[in-house]
Amino acid sequence: MSVDIKAHGVLHCFEPGLKDDDGELVNAEISAVAFDGHRLLMASDKPIPGKHRSAVFSVALKDHHPLEESLEYLTAPLIKQAIKYEDFALTVDGRYMIATTGFDRIDAESHALNDYNHLLIWPLEDASAVKVVDPDPRNDISGSLELRQKLTDAIGTPYYKIEGLATVPGDQGDGMLLFGVREQGTHFDDFEYVARIVGAPYRVTEQGALEFVSPLTSIYRFEPEAETEVRFECGLSSLEYDPFNERLYLLTSFEVEDGSGERIGGYLWSLTLEAFQRGEAPELCRTREGAALEFEHKAEGLAVLDASTLFVAYDNDRDMALRSASERDERYASETPYTLLRVSM
């Protein structure tokens, strides 16, 4: 499968110069993106302060580009409460949006870090009806703490980081819910980068709650570095199912230090749903000329806009260089670069 860069762009996620309570500039770090058929949903993995703002927002599209003037924040209390959004997924039937945080930190002695452990679901027409998936059975405790234990059991290590989320058709329930694992190990400073998927069949109840039909299990894993054209160690950074072509896309990204300084970037991979179910390695997406497509920004979010168009969002952390995304050298802290890709099967 080949992909062409159709266009680059830059989007203001909030007004320039916005500062947090400590007086520091708020930085747009877009880690999650999804298209619901009408609007593009995006999220930063860092909070965006303000009563009328949140880390999650939507924008309308024109010619596949986001319209900045249409930006609307999702401000339901549960959506504002969750911290470190990493990916979105539409349910297989397209009626609900699911959002995951990273699940990469927890405090065993208190509930201080519970907000980093949320899986949320809401109907597309009413984000105020958002619900927490697998909450702690004690009503006054926030977070998807029951789900966290299920993830721990399926992944098998005390530390991990979730960065991918997708639903695919399945034989049970309403389909399969897939979690992409980027990091796993014994501790946040002792881990390996991985490209791994755990998941389970799910169903959505009449009340709009998500339930798992069976236990989460380890489903899929591949080694990006086995592809000779992958130049740096990568971890999985996003999952996305393409219902038009019945394919699963995987993003991997890297952030490494070498003799030239810090390098960031990423790669796009693809495989059919049947190949995924057989456990086959994905195909590295290439340009029409046959070269591996290597992103010059840290690719963290992926959305399928139609049968031949993909939207890639970037979380460059504190790297401000715009590179090919703009004629300007550097972005404002409030901006995120993005790329539109044209897919040829």
Side-chain angles (χ1 to χ4, degrees), residues 9-86:
V10 179
L11 171 70
H12 275 287
C13 305
F14 42 86
E15 60 268 31
L18 180 66
K19 295 184 178 180
D20 60 23
D21 292 341
D22 296 325
E24 299 293 328
L25 280 175
V26 179
N27 190 41
E29 301 182 25
I30 301 303
S31 55
V33 60
F35 182 58
D36 67 7
H38 303 282
R39 294 176 68 87
L40 195 68
L41 188 69
M42 306 178 77
S44 175
D45 71 6
K46 297 293 188 298
I48 299 176
K51 289 184 178 180
H52 68 287
R53 305 185 196 93
S54 80
V56 182
F57 55 91
S58 69
V59 290
L61 299 178
K62 182 178 181 181
D63 298 327
H64 297 137
H65 289 272
L67 293 172
E68 197 168 287
E69 62 271 21
S70 72
L71 191 147
E72 296 179 356
Y73 298 100
L74 278 62
T75 56
L78 279 175
I79 293 176
K80 286 177 67 71
Q81 178 180 344
I83 299 176
K84 201 168 179 58
Y85 285 95
E86 294 292 356

Coordinates of all heavy atoms in Angstrom, one line a residue, residues 9-86:
G9 N -0.6 21.1 7.4 CA -1.3 22.3 8.0 C -0.9 22.5 9.4 O -0.2 21.7 10.1
V10 N -1.4 23.6 10.0 CA -1.2 24.0 11.4 C -2.5 24.5 11.9 O -3.2 25.3 11.3 CB -0.1 25.0 11.5 CG1 0.1 25.4 13.0 CG2 1.2 24.6 10.9
L11 N -2.9 24.0 13.1 CA -4.1 24.4 13.8 C -3.9 25.0 15.2 O -3.1 24.4 16.0 CB -5.0 23.1 13.9 CG -6.3 23.3 14.7 CD1 -7.3 24.2 14.0 CD2 -6.9 21.9 15.1
H12 N -4.5 26.1 15.4 CA -4.5 26.7 16.8 C -5.5 25.9 17.6 O -6.7 25.9 17.3 CB -4.8 28.2 16.8 CG -3.7 29.1 16.5 ND1 -2.7 29.3 17.4 CD2 -3.3 29.8 15.4 CE1 -1.8 30.1 16.9 NE2 -2.2 30.4 15.7
C13 N -5.1 25.3 18.7 CA -6.0 24.6 19.6 C -6.6 25.4 20.7 O -7.5 25.0 21.4 CB -5.2 23.4 20.2 SG -4.4 22.3 19.0
F14 N -6.0 26.6 20.9 CA -6.5 27.6 21.8 C -5.8 28.9 21.5 O -5.0 28.9 20.6 CB -6.3 27.2 23.3 CG -4.9 26.6 23.5 CD1 -3.8 27.4 23.8 CD2 -4.8 25.2 23.5 CE1 -2.6 26.8 24.0 CE2 -3.5 24.6 23.7 CZ -2.4 25.5 24.0
E15 N -6.2 30.0 22.1 CA -5.7 31.3 21.8 C -4.2 31.4 22.1 O -3.7 30.8 23.1 CB -6.4 32.4 22.4 CG -6.4 32.4 24.0 CD -7.6 31.6 24.6 OE1 -8.1 30.7 23.9 OE2 -8.0 32.0 25.7
P16 N -3.4 32.0 21.2 CA -2.0 32.2 21.5 C -1.7 32.9 22.8 O -2.5 33.8 23.2 CB -1.4 33.0 20.3 CG -2.4 32.7 19.3 CD -3.8 32.6 19.9
G17 N -0.7 32.5 23.6 CA -0.3 33.2 24.8 C -1.1 32.6 26.0 O -0.8 33.1 27.1
L18 N -1.9 31.6 25.9 CA -2.6 31.1 27.1 C -1.6 30.5 28.1 O -0.7 29.8 27.7 CB -3.6 30.0 26.6 CG -4.4 29.3 27.7 CD1 -5.3 30.3 28.4 CD2 -5.1 28.1 27.2
K19 N -1.8 30.8 29.3 CA -0.8 30.4 30.4 C -1.6 29.6 31.4 O -2.8 29.8 31.6 CB -0.1 31.6 31.0 CG 0.8 32.3 30.0 CD 1.6 33.4 30.7 CE 2.5 34.1 29.8 NZ 3.3 35.2 30.4
D20 N -0.9 28.7 32.1 CA -1.5 27.9 33.2 C -1.4 28.7 34.5 O -0.9 29.8 34.6 CB -0.8 26.5 33.3 CG 0.7 26.6 33.5 OD1 1.2 27.6 34.1 OD2 1.4 25.6 33.2
D21 N -1.8 28.0 35.6 CA -1.8 28.7 36.9 C -0.4 29.0 37.4 O -0.2 29.9 38.3 CB -2.5 27.8 37.9 CG -3.9 27.6 37.7 OD1 -4.5 28.4 36.9 OD2 -4.5 26.6 38.2
D22 N 0.6 28.4 36.8 CA 2.0 28.7 37.2 C 2.6 29.8 36.3 O 3.8 30.1 36.5 CB 2.9 27.4 37.2 CG 2.4 26.4 38.2 OD1 2.0 26.8 39.3 OD2 2.5 25.2 37.9
G23 N 1.8 30.3 35.4 CA 2.3 31.4 34.5 C 3.1 30.8 33.3 O 3.8 31.6 32.6
E24 N 3.1 29.5 33.1 CA 3.8 28.9 32.0 C 2.9 28.8 30.7 O 1.7 28.6 30.9 CB 4.3 27.5 32.3 CG 5.3 27.5 33.5 CD 6.6 28.1 33.1 OE1 7.0 28.1 32.0 OE2 7.2 28.7 34.1
L25 N 3.4 29.0 29.6 CA 2.7 28.9 28.3 C 2.1 27.5 28.2 O 2.8 26.5 28.4 CB 3.5 29.2 27.1 CG 3.8 30.7 26.8 CD1 4.8 30.7 25.6 CD2 2.5 31.3 26.4
V26 N 0.8 27.3 27.9 CA 0.2 26.0 27.7 C 0.7 25.5 26.3 O 0.6 26.3 25.3 CB -1.3 26.1 27.8 CG1 -1.9 24.7 27.5 CG2 -1.7 26.6 29.1
N27 N 1.1 24.3 26.2 CA 1.6 23.7 25.0 C 0.6 22.7 24.4 O 0.1 21.8 25.2 CB 3.0 23.0 25.3 CG 3.7 22.6 24.0 OD1 3.7 23.4 23.0 ND2 4.3 21.4 24.0
A28 N 0.3 22.8 23.2 CA -0.6 21.9 22.5 C 0.2 20.6 22.2 O 1.2 20.6 21.5 CB -1.1 22.5 21.2
E29 N -0.2 19.5 22.8 CA 0.4 18.2 22.6 C -0.6 17.2 22.2 O -1.1 16.4 23.0 CB 1.2 17.8 23.9 CG 2.2 18.8 24.3 CD 3.0 18.4 25.5 OE1 3.1 17.2 25.8 OE2 3.5 19.3 26.2
I30 N -1.0 17.2 20.9 CA -2.1 16.4 20.4 C -1.8 15.0 20.3 O -0.9 14.6 19.5 CB -2.6 17.0 19.1 CG1 -3.1 18.5 19.2 CG2 -3.8 16.2 18.5 CD1 -4.1 18.7 20.3
S31 N -2.4 14.2 21.0 CA -2.1 12.7 21.1 C -3.3 11.8 20.6 O -3.1 10.6 20.5 CB -1.7 12.4 22.5 OG -2.8 12.7 23.4
A32 N -4.4 12.4 20.4 CA -5.6 11.6 20.1 C -6.4 12.3 19.0 O -6.6 13.6 19.1 CB -6.5 11.3 21.3
V33 N -7.0 11.6 18.1 CA -7.8 12.2 17.0 C -8.7 11.1 16.5 O -8.4 9.9 16.4 CB -6.9 12.8 15.9 CG1 -6.1 11.8 15.2 CG2 -7.8 13.5 14.9
A34 N -10.0 11.5 16.1 CA -10.9 10.6 15.5 C -11.9 11.5 14.7 O -12.1 12.6 15.0 CB -11.7 9.8 16.6
F35 N -12.5 10.8 13.7 CA -13.5 11.5 12.8 C -14.8 10.8 13.0 O -14.9 9.5 12.8 CB -13.0 11.5 11.4 CG -14.0 12.2 10.4 CD1 -14.3 13.5 10.7 CD2 -14.6 11.5 9.4 CE1 -15.2 14.2 9.8 CE2 -15.4 12.2 8.5 CZ -15.7 13.5 8.7
D36 N -15.8 11.5 13.4 CA -17.1 10.9 13.7 C -18.1 10.9 12.5 O -19.3 10.5 12.6 CB -17.8 11.5 14.9 CG -18.2 12.9 14.7 OD1 -18.2 13.4 13.5 OD2 -18.7 13.6 15.6
G37 N -17.6 11.3 11.3 CA -18.4 11.4 10.1 C -18.8 12.8 9.8 O -19.3 13.1 8.7
H38 N -18.7 13.6 10.8 CA -19.1 15.0 10.7 C -18.1 16.0 11.2 O -17.8 17.0 10.5 CB -20.4 15.3 11.5 CG -21.6 14.5 11.1 ND1 -22.3 14.7 9.9 CD2 -22.1 13.3 11.6 CE1 -23.2 13.8 9.8 NE2 -23.1 12.9 10.8
R39 N -17.5 15.7 12.3 CA -16.4 16.6 12.9 C -15.2 15.8 13.3 O -15.3 14.5 13.6 CB -17.0 17.3 14.1 CG -18.1 18.3 13.7 CD -18.7 19.0 15.0 NE -17.8 19.9 15.7 CZ -17.6 21.2 15.4 NH1 -18.2 21.7 14.4 NH2 -16.7 21.9 16.1
L40 N -14.1 16.4 13.4 CA -12.9 15.8 13.9 C -12.7 16.1 15.4 O -12.9 17.2 15.8 CB -11.7 16.5 13.1 CG -10.3 15.7 13.2 CD1 -10.4 14.4 12.4 CD2 -9.2 16.6 12.6
L41 N -12.5 15.0 16.1 CA -12.3 15.1 17.6 C -10.8 15.0 17.9 O -10.2 14.1 17.3 CB -13.1 14.0 18.3 CG -13.1 14.1 19.8 CD1 -14.0 15.2 20.3 CD2 -13.7 12.8 20.4
M42 N -10.3 15.9 18.7 CA -8.9 15.9 19.0 C -8.7 16.1 20.5 O -9.6 16.6 21.2 CB -8.2 17.1 18.3 CG -8.4 17.0 16.8 SD -7.6 18.4 15.9 CE -5.9 17.9 15.9
A43 N -7.6 15.7 21.0 CA -7.3 15.8 22.5 C -5.8 16.0 22.7 O -5.0 15.4 22.0 CB -7.8 14.7 23.3
S44 N -5.5 16.8 23.6 CA -4.1 17.0 24.1 C -3.8 16.1 25.3 O -4.7 15.9 26.1 CB -3.9 18.5 24.5 OG -2.6 18.7 25.0
D45 N -2.6 15.6 25.4 CA -2.3 14.8 26.6 C -1.9 15.6 27.8 O -1.6 15.1 28.8 CB -1.4 13.7 26.3 CG 0.1 14.2 26.0 OD1 0.3 15.3 26.2 OD2 0.9 13.3 25.7
K46 N -2.0 17.0 27.6 CA -1.8 17.9 28.7 C -3.1 18.7 28.9 O -3.7 19.0 27.9 CB -0.6 18.8 28.5 CG 0.7 18.1 28.4 CD 1.1 17.4 29.7 CE 2.6 16.9 29.6 NZ 2.7 15.9 28.6
P47 N -3.4 19.1 30.1 CA -4.7 19.9 30.3 C -4.6 21.2 29.6 O -3.5 21.8 29.4 CB -4.7 20.1 31.8 CG -3.9 18.9 32.4 CD -2.8 18.7 31.4
I48 N -5.8 21.7 29.1 CA -5.9 23.0 28.6 C -6.8 23.7 29.6 O -8.0 23.5 29.7 CB -6.6 23.0 27.2 CG1 -5.7 22.2 26.2 CG2 -6.8 24.4 26.6 CD1 -6.3 22.0 24.8
P49 N -6.3 24.7 30.3 CA -7.0 25.3 31.4 C -8.1 26.2 31.0 O -8.1 26.7 29.9 CB -5.9 26.0 32.2 CG -4.9 26.3 31.2 CD -4.9 25.2 30.2
G50 N -9.0 26.5 31.9 CA -10.1 27.4 31.7 C -11.5 26.7 31.8 O -11.6 25.5 31.4
K51 N -12.4 27.4 32.5 CA -13.7 26.8 32.7 C -14.4 26.4 31.4 O -15.2 25.4 31.3 CB -14.6 27.7 33.5 CG -14.2 27.9 35.0 CD -15.2 28.8 35.7 CE -14.8 28.9 37.2 NZ -15.7 29.7 37.9
H52 N -14.3 27.2 30.4 CA -14.9 26.9 29.1 C -14.1 26.1 28.1 O -14.5 25.8 27.0 CB -15.3 28.2 28.4 CG -14.1 29.0 27.9 ND1 -13.2 29.7 28.8 CD2 -13.6 29.2 26.7 CE1 -12.3 30.3 28.1 NE2 -12.5 30.0 26.8
R53 N -12.9 25.6 28.6 CA -12.1 24.8 27.8 C -11.9 23.4 28.4 O -12.2 23.2 29.6 CB -10.7 25.4 27.6 CG -10.6 26.8 27.1 CD -9.2 27.2 26.8 NE -9.1 28.7 26.7 CZ -8.9 29.5 27.7 NH1 -8.7 29.1 28.9 NH2 -8.8 30.8 27.5
S54 N -11.4 22.5 27.6 CA -10.9 21.2 28.1 C -9.8 20.7 27.2 O -9.6 21.3 26.1 CB -12.1 20.2 28.2 OG -12.4 19.6 27.0
A55 N -9.2 19.5 27.5 CA -8.2 18.9 26.7 C -8.8 18.3 25.4 O -8.1 17.9 24.5 CB -7.4 17.9 27.5
V56 N -10.1 18.2 25.4 CA -10.8 17.6 24.2 C -11.6 18.6 23.5 O -12.4 19.4 24.1 CB -11.7 16.4 24.7 CG1 -12.4 15.7 23.6 CG2 -11.0 15.4 25.6
F57 N -11.5 18.6 22.2 CA -12.3 19.6 21.4 C -12.6 19.0 20.0 O -12.0 18.0 19.6 CB -11.5 20.9 21.2 CG -10.1 20.8 20.7 CD1 -9.9 20.8 19.3 CD2 -9.0 20.5 21.5 CE1 -8.6 20.7 18.8 CE2 -7.8 20.4 21.0 CZ -7.5 20.5 19.7
S58 N -13.5 19.6 19.3 CA -13.9 19.2 18.0 C -13.8 20.3 17.0 O -14.0 21.5 17.4 CB -15.3 18.6 18.0 OG -16.3 19.5 18.2
V59 N -13.6 20.0 15.8 CA -13.6 21.0 14.7 C -14.3 20.5 13.5 O -14.2 19.3 13.2 CB -12.2 21.5 14.3 CG1 -11.5 22.3 15.4 CG2 -11.3 20.3 14.0
A60 N -15.0 21.3 12.7 CA -15.5 21.0 11.4 C -14.4 20.9 10.4 O -13.3 21.5 10.6 CB -16.6 22.0 11.0
L61 N -14.6 20.3 9.3 CA -13.6 20.1 8.2 C -14.1 20.8 6.9 O -15.3 20.8 6.6 CB -13.3 18.7 7.9 CG -12.8 17.8 9.1 CD1 -12.6 16.4 8.6 CD2 -11.5 18.4 9.6
K62 N -13.2 21.3 6.2 CA -13.5 21.8 4.8 C -12.3 21.3 3.9 O -11.2 21.6 4.2 CB -13.6 23.3 4.8 CG -13.9 23.9 3.4 CD -14.0 25.4 3.4 CE -14.4 25.9 1.9 NZ -14.5 27.4 1.9
D63 N -12.7 20.6 2.9 CA -11.7 19.9 2.1 C -10.7 19.1 2.9 O -9.4 19.2 2.7 CB -10.9 21.0 1.2 CG -11.9 21.7 0.3 OD1 -12.9 21.1 -0.2 OD2 -11.7 22.9 0.0
H64 N -11.2 18.5 4.0 CA -10.4 17.7 4.9 C -9.5 18.5 5.9 O -8.9 17.8 6.7 CB -9.5 16.7 4.1 CG -10.3 15.7 3.3 ND1 -9.9 15.4 2.0 CD2 -11.4 15.0 3.5 CE1 -10.7 14.5 1.5 NE2 -11.7 14.2 2.4
H65 N -9.5 19.8 5.7 CA -8.7 20.6 6.7 C -9.6 21.1 7.8 O -10.8 21.4 7.6 CB -8.1 21.8 6.0 CG -7.0 21.4 5.1 ND1 -5.7 21.4 5.5 CD2 -7.0 21.1 3.7 CE1 -4.9 21.0 4.4 NE2 -5.6 20.9 3.4
P66 N -9.1 21.1 9.1 CA -9.9 21.6 10.2 C -10.1 23.1 10.1 O -9.2 23.9 9.7 CB -9.1 21.2 11.4 CG -7.7 21.0 10.9 CD -7.8 20.6 9.5
L67 N -11.4 23.5 10.4 CA -11.7 24.9 10.4 C -11.6 25.5 11.8 O -12.3 25.2 12.7 CB -13.2 25.1 9.9 CG -13.5 24.8 8.5 CD1 -14.9 24.8 8.2 CD2 -12.7 25.7 7.5
E68 N -10.5 26.3 12.0 CA -10.2 26.8 13.3 C -11.4 27.5 14.0 O -11.6 27.4 15.2 CB -9.0 27.7 13.2 CG -8.3 27.9 14.5 CD -6.9 28.6 14.2 OE1 -6.0 27.9 13.8 OE2 -6.8 29.8 14.5
E69 N -12.1 28.3 13.2 CA -13.2 29.1 13.8 C -14.3 28.2 14.3 O -15.2 28.7 15.0 CB -13.7 30.1 12.7 CG -14.3 29.5 11.5 CD -13.3 29.2 10.4 OE1 -12.1 29.2 10.7 OE2 -13.7 29.1 9.2
S70 N -14.4 26.9 13.9 CA -15.5 26.1 14.4 C -15.1 25.3 15.6 O -15.9 24.5 16.1 CB -15.8 25.1 13.2 OG -14.8 24.1 13.1
L71 N -14.0 25.5 16.2 CA -13.5 24.7 17.3 C -14.4 24.9 18.5 O -14.8 26.0 18.9 CB -12.1 25.2 17.7 CG -11.3 24.3 18.7 CD1 -9.8 24.4 18.4 CD2 -11.6 24.7 20.2
E72 N -14.8 23.7 19.1 CA -15.7 23.6 20.3 C -15.1 22.7 21.3 O -14.7 21.6 20.9 CB -17.1 23.2 19.9 CG -17.8 24.1 19.0 CD -19.2 23.6 18.6 OE1 -19.5 22.4 19.0 OE2 -19.9 24.3 17.9
Y73 N -15.0 23.1 22.5 CA -14.5 22.2 23.6 C -15.6 21.4 24.2 O -16.7 21.8 24.3 CB -13.8 23.1 24.7 CG -12.7 23.9 24.3 CD1 -12.8 25.3 24.0 CD2 -11.4 23.4 24.2 CE1 -11.7 26.1 23.6 CE2 -10.3 24.1 23.8 CZ -10.5 25.5 23.5 OH -9.4 26.2 23.1
L74 N -15.2 20.1 24.6 CA -16.1 19.3 25.3 C -15.9 19.4 26.7 O -14.8 19.1 27.2 CB -15.9 17.8 24.9 CG -16.6 17.3 23.5 CD1 -16.1 18.1 22.3 CD2 -16.4 15.8 23.3
T75 N -16.9 19.9 27.5 CA -16.7 20.4 28.8 C -17.5 19.6 29.9 O -17.7 20.1 31.0 CB -17.0 21.9 29.0 OG1 -18.3 22.1 28.5 CG2 -16.0 22.7 28.1
A76 N -18.0 18.5 29.5 CA -18.7 17.6 30.5 C -17.7 17.4 31.7 O -16.5 17.1 31.4 CB -19.2 16.3 29.9
P77 N -18.1 17.4 32.9 CA -17.2 17.2 34.1 C -16.3 16.0 34.0 O -15.0 16.1 34.2 CB -18.1 17.2 35.3 CG -19.3 18.0 34.9 CD -19.5 17.7 33.4
L78 N -16.8 14.9 33.6 CA -15.9 13.7 33.5 C -14.9 13.8 32.4 O -13.7 13.3 32.5 CB -16.8 12.4 33.2 CG -17.5 11.8 34.4 CD1 -18.4 10.7 33.9 CD2 -16.5 11.3 35.4
I79 N -15.2 14.5 31.3 CA -14.3 14.7 30.2 C -13.2 15.7 30.6 O -12.0 15.5 30.3 CB -15.0 15.2 28.9 CG1 -15.9 14.1 28.4 CG2 -14.0 15.7 27.9 CD1 -16.7 14.5 27.2
K80 N -13.5 16.7 31.4 CA -12.5 17.6 31.9 C -11.7 17.0 33.0 O -10.5 17.3 33.1 CB -13.2 18.9 32.5 CG -13.8 19.8 31.4 CD -14.5 21.0 32.1 CE -13.6 21.9 32.8 NZ -12.7 22.7 32.0
Q81 N -12.2 16.1 33.7 CA -11.5 15.5 34.8 C -10.4 14.6 34.4 O -9.3 14.6 35.0 CB -12.5 14.7 35.7 CG -11.8 14.0 36.9 CD -12.8 13.2 37.7 OE1 -14.0 13.4 37.6 NE2 -12.3 12.3 38.6
A82 N -10.6 13.8 33.4 CA -9.6 12.8 32.9 C -8.3 13.5 32.4 O -8.4 14.6 31.7 CB -10.1 11.9 31.9
I83 N -7.1 12.9 32.7 CA -5.9 13.6 32.3 C -5.1 12.6 31.4 O -5.0 11.4 31.7 CB -5.1 13.9 33.5 CG1 -5.8 15.0 34.4 CG2 -3.7 14.5 33.1 CD1 -5.1 15.3 35.7
K84 N -4.4 13.2 30.5 CA -3.5 12.4 29.6 C -4.2 11.5 28.6 O -4.0 10.3 28.5 CB -2.4 11.7 30.3 CG -1.2 11.3 29.5 CD -0.1 10.8 30.4 CE 1.2 10.5 29.6 NZ 1.7 11.6 28.8
Y85 N -5.1 12.2 27.8 CA -5.8 11.5 26.7 C -4.7 10.9 25.7 O -3.8 11.7 25.3 CB -6.8 12.4 26.0 CG -8.0 12.6 26.8 CD1 -8.2 13.7 27.6 CD2 -9.1 11.7 26.8 CE1 -9.3 14.0 28.3 CE2 -10.2 11.9 27.5 CZ -10.3 13.1 28.3 OH -11.5 13.3 29.0
E86 N -4.9 9.7 25.2 CA -4.0 9.1 24.3 C -4.6 8.6 23.0 O -3.9 8.5 22.0 CB -3.2 8.0 25.0 CG -2.3 8.4 26.1 CD -1.1 9.2 25.7 OE1 -0.9 9.4 24.4 OE2 -0.4 9.7 26.5

